[in-house]
Amino acid sequence: MPMVLDFDGVLTNVEEEGKPFVEGYTADLARMLRRPVRDVAAQLDLIVSNALQADPARFGWIFGKDGCIMAPAQVDPYLRTRAAARELIDLSAIMGTGATEPFLELLFGYNYSKTENVPKPGAAFFLSSVSDRRLPAAIISNSGTGGVTRKIASMLSQKSPAYEWWRARTFGDARKMDPDEYIERLPNGELIADPKDEVRWDPTLPKTYRLNGFPRDTVIKRPYYLKRLCALKAVWEIDLGRPLAWADFLVVGDIFELDLALPLLLGCHVGFMVNEHSPKWEVAHIGRFAHHGRILNSVDEILPFYDECISPRVS
């Protein structure tokens, strides 16, 4: 059974590693607003504790030409800070239409490089165990490939065989947050010369669905993510010498909308690595899929769930 992993939040503690990001982001925002850093930090905290908690459907990671919310705001420090900053900018009325998102993206990219590597307990053992067993596994992350492999190197040592094994199976910049297709032009405006470079959505799949207890649609349409999953599926079919169904896959992530909504719809087994900020409606949704969905609370629970998933195939 192939296993696809997100990285940040699954194998790392995002709340701890994100602290330098939040500090840098807040300081840059304060400079732009020409306000004291302490005041801006207090305002952001107030927005998070009040507005984001009171109306979680209104806040999130906005992306795409139609301005869709692609992930909830409260799930990690990166998205909380970004959403709160947008609200503060809107309340301050200091930016024109269309200027806010590019500015927030600029702050995000600049300050993400300040994040620290804080592995979760058991992360290094898990990575070593998967490589020792030579399981068909890969990491698909929104983070850059280099950033993820540097974190893996600090967990395993660059000289270890496990590091080299994972380095070849780590794919960053997955654009899981992107709902748009690219058929004639790439995001940078260049014409696509080769049809295989096109990014299309499967028209047989729905674009959204609604989770019980949450008043906003969850966007399923993520063409780049689908293309990455399909490419891995094709490679593993060659390696394993047999056709694979989506039900043959296990996907593990910590942000349901980004990592798991699409795989769950495709029919994959999914492991939802939860924390204290995981939305309760998403946790309840996974609980309805007893046969191929699992709530995970620690890295140590991933491989037992994987073995449980494959056990019917070896019995």
Side-chain angles (χ1 to χ4, degrees):
M1 169 178 275
M3 175 166 47
V4 177
L5 302 157
D6 184 46
F7 191 80
D8 295 327
V10 172
L11 299 178
T12 68
N13 184 328
V14 290
E15 295 298 325
E16 290 299 317
E17 71 179 10
K19 287 180 178 179
F21 167 90
V22 174
E23 292 174 1
Y25 198 109
T26 303
D28 289 341
L29 181 62
R31 278 191 287 271
M32 190 276 293
L33 295 172
R34 297 181 179 178
R35 299 177 189 172
V37 174
R38 181 180 300 178
D39 292 352
V40 171
Q43 289 176 301
L44 294 178
D45 288 344
L46 191 64
I47 291 170
V48 169
S49 60
N50 291 340
L52 266 67
Q53 296 298 325
D55 190 8
R58 188 166 71 87
F59 297 92
W61 190 354
I62 297 174
F63 205 90
K65 63 178 183 289
D66 294 327
C68 300
I69 292 180
M70 302 302 292
Q74 70 265 43
V75 291
D76 68 25
Y78 312 113
L79 298 185
R80 284 197 302 275
T81 303
R82 184 184 182 123
R86 182 190 303 107
E87 181 75 355
L88 182 56
I89 290 171
D90 289 346
L91 291 172
S92 304
I94 60 171
M95 284 193 176
T97 304
T100 302
E101 290 306 320
F103 174 73
L104 294 175
E105 189 66 25
L106 179 66
L107 287 190
F108 186 94
Y110 177 69
N111 286 288
Y112 187 81
S113 62
K114 300 174 182 178
T115 59
E116 297 177 346
N117 183 27
V118 185
K120 286 185 175 180
F125 180 77
F126 168 80
L127 290 170
S128 297
S129 297
V130 172
S131 65
D132 288 346
R133 291 174 59 175
R134 292 298 187 263
L135 299 178
I139 292 168
I140 299 182
S141 173
N142 267 345
S143 302
T145 304
V148 175
T149 54
R150 281 193 294 273
K151 290 181 179 181
I152 294 173
S154 71
M155 295 179 190
L156 297 175
S157 165
Q158 283 185 308
K159 297 180 180 180
S160 71
Y163 166 74
E164 288 298 329
W165 192 88
W166 277 108
R167 188 167 69 90
R169 292 162 176 81
T170 298
F171 306 94
D173 302 307
R175 299 182 71 86
K176 297 178 187 178
M177 72 297 186
D178 196 339
D180 296 332
E181 297 177 282
Y182 294 99
I183 298 173
E184 296 179 354
R185 290 182 182 272
L186 294 170
N188 62 7
E190 293 180 2
L191 286 171
I192 294 177
D194 192 329
K196 75 176 186 300
D197 293 327
E198 294 183 344
V199 182
R200 295 178 179 269
W201 182 242
D202 183 343
T204 66
L205 297 174
K207 297 179 180 179
T208 63
Y209 68 57
R210 181 68 63 91
L211 272 63
N212 290 341
F214 191 52
R216 170 175 62 77
D217 285 344
T218 294
V219 178
I220 305 299
K221 185 188 175 192
R222 299 164 192 264
Y224 271 98
Y225 190 21
L226 179 63
K227 185 172 183 176
R228 289 290 182 99
L229 291 172
C230 288
L232 280 176
K233 182 173 180 285
V235 169
W236 278 323
E237 285 179 333
I238 294 172
D239 289 348
L240 299 175
R242 60 181 175 86
L244 294 170
W246 289 118
D248 296 320
F249 281 69
L250 169 62
V251 181
V252 180
D254 70 307
I255 301 179
F256 173 79
E257 291 193 46
L258 281 182
D259 304 321
L260 304 177
L262 172 58
L264 185 63
L265 181 77
L266 292 173
C268 302
H269 292 75
V270 298
F272 187 11
M273 185 68 71
V274 298
N275 58 52
E276 65 270 28
H277 300 289
S278 300
K280 60 181 182 301
W281 55 89
E282 296 180 353
V283 174
H285 186 70
I286 292 293
R288 296 186 179 96
F289 295 85
H291 296 295
H292 57 280
R294 180 66 54 84
I295 300 298
L296 303 172
N297 293 285
S298 70
V299 175
D300 294 340
E301 297 175 17
I302 299 176
L303 275 177
F305 179 44
Y306 176 87
D307 291 334
E308 183 180 322
C309 291
I310 65 174
S311 59
R313 304 178 189 281
V314 295
S315 59

